[in-house]
C-alpha cells in the first residue's frame, strides 16, 4: 500500500504546478492533502477528482483557509470529519479520516502558531487533546496512519540549523518533547524514519525554494506500531515542487 501526503499551500496553485499529473504517475493507494485553501464546492472540476479514486474533502467553511482532502482507491466503510475534541480546539486545524475494516487513515493539518502567546496556547491545547486521543485509540483493535502537516519537527537532524531554531515555533522544547512522548511512550512510529535515517531530509522549505533558507521535516506519516513495522520504502520527493512542502511517500507491506 502506497500512501502519499502533501501540504499544498493552496490546491489551485498546486494543480497549476502539475501536482495531479505527478500523482497520476505514482499509483498511490491513498493520497492525503492538507492546506487546500478552498471550499469543497469550488473543487468540482474533474482535475480535483482523479480517475480511479474516491475523493473526500473537509474545508474550513472560510474561503482561502486550511482544509484537507483524502483520495483513496478503495471506498471506505466510514468517514470521520474532525477529531471531536470537547474543547472544540480541533477545529483550529482540520482532520479527515477514512475507515476500513481494520485500518484508519487520516489527513491532518495542525494549527500553526506565531510567537504570540494566544496562538501558541491554541497549538499547545490542540496537541494535548490530540495526544490524549491517540493514546486512547491504541486500545482499539485497529491500525492507524496519521498523515499530515504537524507544524513541528522532532530532532536536530529534522531541521537544517537546530541551534538557530531553538526558539522558533515548530522546534520549541515542549513541541519536541510531545513528539518524543508520542513515539517513545505511547508507541507510535515515524514511518518515514523507519525507512530513511539520513539527516538532510526536509519536507518544508519556507522560502519556497529547495535548499534556500532553513529546511524542516514537519510533514509526517505517524503510524501505529504494527504498521510501523511493515514500512517497506520511504522518500521525500525532491524532483519537482508543488508548494513550499514536498510530498512524503511511504510504502507499507499491507493491503487496504
Amino acid at each position: 500500500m502506497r500512501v502519499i501526503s502533501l501540504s499544498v499551500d493552496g490546491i489551485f496553485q498546486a494543480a497549476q504546478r502539475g501536482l495531479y499529473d505527478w500523482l497520476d504517475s505514482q499509483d498511490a493507494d491513498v493520497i492525503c492533502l492538507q492546506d487546500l485553501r478552498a471550499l469543497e464546492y469550488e473543487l468540482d472540476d474533474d482535475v480535483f477528482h482523479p480517475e480511479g479514486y474516491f475523493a473526500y474533502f473537509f474545508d474550513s467553511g472560510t474561503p482561502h483557509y486550511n482544509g484537507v482532502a483524502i483520495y483513496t482507491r478503495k471506498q471506505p466503510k466510514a468517514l470521520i470529519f474532525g477529531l471531536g475534541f470537547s474543547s472544540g480546539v480541533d477545529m483550529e486545524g482540520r482532520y479527515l479520516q477514512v475507515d476500513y475494516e481494520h485500518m484508519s487513515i487520516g489527513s491532518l493539518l495542525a494549527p500553526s502558531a506565531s510567537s504570540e502567546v494566544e496562538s501558541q496556547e491554541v497549538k499547545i491545547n490542540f496537541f494535548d487533546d490530540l495526544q490524549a486521543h491517540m493514546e486512547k485509540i491504541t486500545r482499539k483493535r485497529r491500525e492507524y496512519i496519521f498523515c499530515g502537516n504537524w507544524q513541528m519537527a522532532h530532532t536536530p537532524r529534522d531541521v537544517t540549523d537546530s541551534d538557530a531554531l531553538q526558539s522558533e515555533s515548530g522546534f520549541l522544547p515542549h513541541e519536541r518533547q510531545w513528539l518524543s512522548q508520542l513515539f517513545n511512550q505511547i508507541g507510535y512510529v515515524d514511518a518515514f524514519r523507519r525507512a530513511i535515517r539520513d539527516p538532510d531530509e526536509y519536507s518544508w522549505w519556507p522560502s519556497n525554494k529547495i535548499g534556500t533558507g532553513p529546511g524542516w521535516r514537519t510533514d509526517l506519516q505517524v503510524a501505529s506500531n504494527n504498521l510501523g513495522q511493515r514500512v517497506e520504502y520511504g522518500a521525500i520527493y525532491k524532483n519537482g515542487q508543488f508548494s513550499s512542502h514536498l510530498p512524503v511517500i511511504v510504502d507499507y507491506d499491507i493491503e487496504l
Side-chain angles (χ1 to χ4, degrees):
M1 178 181 70
R2 169 161 288 192
V3 180
I4 295 177
S5 181
L6 173 64
S7 189
V8 297
D9 294 347
I11 196 168
F12 297 120
Q13 67 88 25
Q16 291 172 350
R17 292 185 178 189
L19 171 61
Y20 286 90
D21 291 334
W22 177 77
L23 288 173
D24 186 56
S25 71
Q26 294 302 300
D27 195 29
D29 297 282
V30 179
I31 300 162
C32 296
L33 303 181
Q34 302 88 39
D35 202 11
L36 306 185
R37 302 181 190 176
L39 300 176
E40 183 174 357
Y41 80 85
E42 298 176 299
L43 304 175
D44 58 353
D45 192 285
D46 287 347
V47 69
F48 303 115
H49 295 262
E51 186 176 356
Y53 288 94
F54 296 93
Y56 304 101
F57 306 97
F58 185 29
D59 63 35
S60 67
T62 302
H64 316 301
Y65 182 69
N66 77 36
V68 293
I70 297 179
Y71 297 104
T72 175
R73 290 199 180 276
K74 183 177 179 180
Q75 188 172 17
K77 292 182 176 295
L79 298 171
I80 295 178
F81 295 86
L83 288 156
F85 297 161
S86 59
S87 65
V89 74
D90 56 313
M91 292 303 169
E92 296 294 331
R94 269 299 176 267
Y95 181 75
L96 174 63
Q97 179 176 300
V98 290
D99 286 351
Y100 298 94
E101 188 169 358
H102 300 296
M103 185 190 311
S104 297
I105 300 174
S107 186
L108 171 73
L109 177 63
S112 62
S114 66
S115 58
E116 299 169 4
V117 173
E118 182 177 357
S119 57
Q120 286 286 350
E121 190 68 23
V122 167
K123 188 176 182 182
I124 290 169
N125 291 340
F126 175 89
F127 279 107
D128 283 347
D129 283 357
L130 181 61
Q131 184 180 81
H133 171 77
M134 294 181 74
E135 185 169 14
K136 179 180 179 180
I137 62 176
T138 59
R139 296 189 284 272
K140 295 187 176 183
R141 299 180 64 180
R142 172 171 290 274
E143 304 296 337
Y144 289 88
I145 304 173
F146 295 87
C147 299
N149 179 355
W150 294 70
Q151 308 279 13
M152 56 188 180
H154 186 204
T155 69
R157 66 176 172 171
D158 296 318
V159 294
T160 51
D161 188 346
S162 59
D163 290 337
L165 297 174
Q166 293 283 346
S167 60
E168 295 283 335
S169 177
F171 201 63
L172 296 172
H174 70 266
E175 294 174 315
R176 296 171 58 197
Q177 178 64 26
W178 188 93
L179 286 169
S180 292
Q181 290 174 342
L182 185 68
F183 298 138
N184 300 333
Q185 297 177 25
I186 302 177
Y188 285 88
V189 174
D190 182 346
F192 174 81
R193 281 294 182 212
R194 283 286 172 172
I196 304 294
R197 299 190 177 276
D198 300 336
D200 302 327
E201 291 284 347
Y202 309 119
S203 65
W204 179 40
W205 295 91
S207 68
N208 208 27
K209 185 176 180 181
I210 296 173
T212 300
W216 302 64
R217 193 175 68 88
T218 57
D219 302 271
L220 310 176
Q221 293 190 27
V222 175
S224 50
N225 187 61
N226 289 339
L227 276 181
Q229 310 308 315
R230 305 185 77 165
V231 171
E232 293 185 314
Y233 170 84
I236 295 174
Y237 179 73
K238 307 180 184 73
N239 293 329
Q241 195 168 359
F242 313 110
S243 73
S244 63
H245 296 257
L246 302 177
V248 178
I249 306 166
V250 179
D251 291 349
Y252 301 84
D253 182 20
I254 195 170
E255 295 184 1
L256 281 177

